[in-house]
Amino acid sequence: MNKSIQTTLAFCLFLFSVQYTHAQKANYDEAKVPKFDIVDVLSTTDGQKVNTVEAWEKIRRPEILDIFRQQMYGTQPDTEVKVHYVVVKDIENAIPDLADIKEVDMIFSNANGRHSVRLTLFIPRKVSKPAPMFLGLNFYGNHTANPNENISIHSSWVRDNANFHIFGNRADEVSRGVRSSRWPVEYIVSQGYGLGLIYYGDIDPDFDDGFQNGLHPLFYKDGQTKPTSEEWGSIGIWSYGLSKALDYLGTDNDIDENKVIVFGHSRLGKTSLWAGVTDPRFAAAISNDSGCGGAALSKREFGERVAVINQNFPHWFNDNFIKYNNKESELPFDQHMLISLMAPRPVYIASAEQDEWADPKGEYLSGYYAKPAYDLYGIPSLNDVTPPKVNEARFTPGVSYHKRSGKHDVTRYDWVQYIEFADRFVR
Ligand code: GCU
């Protein structure tokens, strides 16, 4: 090998390792959080101050939404895709005295093909209909949320997990109910709420295959083989799936379509926020430990960084978001603006004490800094820059928040707060 090629190769390797090490280092030291300005929620990009609901809804809100679409979560292609809904199962009293189980196939189709996603509904029995509902995506399959054998098992790709006895990227009977600690179905329905579940891999399997599987290919124009750098990645299409489930719920007399709360944990908490923001029909949104790219402020550069999330999960956001790798200070927006787009609807942000990767303080602060948007509507929201103590939920009609003790997870404690939140502000 000639000398200059050798030198070039060595230099490239050096650059790669610098970039890699830099990106992999997560900061957990508050003293190292850089100084940064909070982008003003109410000032338009050309410097006009917005101070009425009308100007917010006509000018500033669409502007912010557009920024998030273009720069981060991606735009939805305008390709026409038809969706048919088929109720494939309706079992009365499937959970004795507590809930009926209904399953609906959401069938997406156009000239590019056909793709089916299953929605499982737990309909509470002890409440007058139509019932309010929590709707959320899950990581391993609807059947993992509860051991009830009426819940069907999906045939989509699923991540292997030895603890859950999932091997060969296929789910089977053995994984029934393995995630029931995260989905206290009996408790939720006993409180008078329905629960709607979709396995996220039915919409788009969560690995980087250049968007050849799941729903993305249905949206390609002639000759297109992957989304453009502006178009949506996985988070965008997962939230689209939630909106399409809401379309169905609007036709189901058991459910009150005006009282559907979109819920998600972690990457699916990023997704529930994006779904709530892009689809104002959702009555409220809950983000459980959503962290970077969800509720946490990116400019704090605390815990997971933009470069890390883009390297590890290149398929979650659009390609435009990559330009902010290690350049959070250049972001013309931050996640408090995402929360502000929920106004005037209630939103719940939850953190876990040991989940520093998701930056609990940054998650709280984005809720706090969304307040100007709620102020426009005269809706009280978080007004103290200091977060509440661990395990002390703070409820407001705007943003509610808690930091639970323990690790990155969804627990009974979290759900008790979500029921309280729903009772106060949605039901
Ligand atoms: C990783 C990722 C997070 C994400 C989490 C999850 O930890 O870095 O951004 O929230 O996975 O979805 O479980």
Side-chain angles (χ1 to χ4, degrees):
M1 200 186 299
N2 97 24
K3 191 96 200 249
S4 78
I5 296 180
Q6 260 177 10
T7 320
T8 317
L9 276 179
F11 185 61
C12 288
L13 203 65
F14 167 72
L15 278 185
F16 174 77
S17 66
V18 169
Q19 159 93 5
Y20 188 75
T21 345
H22 184 63
Q24 294 306 307
K25 251 194 265 155
N27 172 39
Y28 292 123
D29 181 356
E30 204 54 51
K32 291 196 182 126
V33 169
K35 289 234 168 329
F36 64 96
D37 290 327
I38 292 289
V39 182
D40 185 1
V41 166
L42 299 184
S43 290
T44 63
T45 32
D46 60 6
Q48 287 174 52
K49 191 82 183 176
V50 157
N51 43 31
T52 63
V53 165
E54 197 192 3
W56 167 255
E57 289 182 355
K58 288 220 169 91
I59 302 165
R60 183 56 173 158
R61 188 183 188 280
E63 182 179 73
I64 298 178
L65 187 54
D66 231 45
I67 295 172
F68 279 111
R69 283 201 170 109
Q70 309 283 335
Q71 304 290 322
M72 191 173 177
Y73 301 101
T75 56
Q76 176 181 332
D78 60 9
T79 319
E80 211 193 309
V81 173
K82 289 217 157 55
V83 193
H84 299 285
Y85 300 93
V86 183
V87 178
V88 289
K89 203 178 270 184
D90 190 355
I91 300 178
E92 251 188 60
N93 212 23
I95 304 183
D97 297 331
L98 285 177
D100 305 336
I101 291 180
K102 208 184 266 188
E103 293 201 321
V104 182
D105 277 348
M106 319 201 306
I107 303 160
F108 300 78
S109 66
N110 64 10
N112 291 351
R114 186 176 188 280
H115 189 84
S116 186
V117 171
R118 183 153 293 183
L119 169 66
T120 300
L121 303 174
F122 300 89
I123 315 272
R125 287 184 68 76
K126 286 184 185 151
V127 72
S128 63
K129 308 286 161 51
M133 167 168 267
F134 294 93
L135 175 69
L137 302 176
N138 61 77
F139 286 82
Y140 289 96
N142 300 347
H143 68 289
T144 63
N146 189 272
N148 193 290
E149 59 193 22
N150 293 299
I151 306 167
S152 61
I153 298 172
H154 65 84
S155 54
S156 301
W157 177 95
V158 63
R159 181 166 298 100
D160 282 350
N161 185 322
N163 292 331
F164 296 165
H165 315 281
I166 298 176
F167 302 103
N169 304 117
R170 287 282 163 246
D172 61 24
E173 294 289 335
V174 189
S175 48
R176 278 196 189 284
V178 291
R179 265 289 160 83
S180 50
S181 69
R182 285 190 176 183
W183 299 101
V185 175
E186 286 82 357
Y187 169 62
I188 294 169
V189 293
S190 73
Q191 299 304 304
Y193 292 89
L195 176 66
L197 296 176
I198 297 176
Y199 168 51
Y200 79 145
D202 263 3
I203 302 171
D204 184 29
D206 188 9
F207 63 93
D208 182 23
D209 74 328
F211 301 107
Q212 299 314 301
N213 57 20
L215 276 177
H216 280 99
L218 286 194
F219 288 87
Y220 295 157
K221 309 268 195 247
D222 276 353
Q224 189 178 4
T225 55
K226 63 175 187 110
T228 67
S229 46
E230 216 161 86
E231 283 173 355
W232 55 9
S234 296
I235 291 179
I237 211 154
W238 291 331
S239 45
Y240 161 82
L242 289 164
S243 278
K244 292 294 125 185
L246 185 53
D247 286 353
Y248 165 77
L249 295 173
T251 67
D252 189 320
N253 294 333
D254 286 335
I255 301 303
D256 186 343
E257 61 178 312
N258 299 311
K259 293 184 179 165
V260 179
I261 303 166
V262 61
F263 162 86
H265 168 64
S266 210
R267 69 198 67 182
L268 300 178
K270 309 179 207 299
T271 307
S272 60
L273 286 175
W274 185 235
V277 157
T278 50
D279 193 336
R281 296 174 304 163
F282 285 113
I286 300 173
S287 130
N288 192 89
D289 305 358
S290 62
C292 179
L297 291 175
S298 304
K299 287 176 189 279
R300 276 174 44 79
E301 302 182 6
F302 192 99
E304 185 174 26
R305 300 272 308 269
V306 168
V308 180
I309 203 166
N310 279 331
Q311 270 167 21
N312 292 339
F313 308 100
H315 55 295
W316 285 0
F317 304 97
N318 72 4
D319 282 354
N320 282 345
F321 195 45
I322 296 169
K323 65 173 182 272
Y324 301 107
N325 283 359
N326 298 311
K327 290 192 180 130
E328 284 91 337
S329 63
E330 291 176 20
L331 280 163
F333 60 93
D334 209 340
Q335 300 306 106
H336 65 299
M337 293 160 75
L338 184 74
I339 307 300
S340 77
L341 298 181
M342 281 300 296
R345 292 166 296 150
V347 52
Y348 201 118
I349 300 173
S351 310
E353 191 180 18
Q354 290 166 28
D355 189 15
E356 293 274 278
W357 180 244
D359 185 15
K361 185 170 176 190
E363 292 179 315
Y364 177 79
L365 286 177
S366 67
Y368 169 73
Y369 287 117
K371 185 173 180 291
Y374 287 94
D375 287 345
L376 288 178
Y377 292 91
I379 292 184
S381 192
L382 297 176
N383 63 4
D384 185 343
V385 73
T386 311
K389 295 205 181 85
V390 174
N391 296 333
E392 271 182 23
R394 189 172 283 167
F395 291 97
T396 85
V399 182
S400 297
Y401 178 87
H402 73 248
K403 179 161 81 173
R404 171 182 48 74
S405 51
K407 61 184 178 59
H408 186 73
D409 199 358
V410 193
T411 67
R412 177 80 169 202
Y413 175 89
D414 296 317
W415 275 105
V416 170
Q417 315 314 314
Y418 301 149
I419 295 287
E420 167 88 30
F421 164 75
D423 283 351
R424 288 198 198 197
F425 307 122
V426 178
R427 199 207 277 284

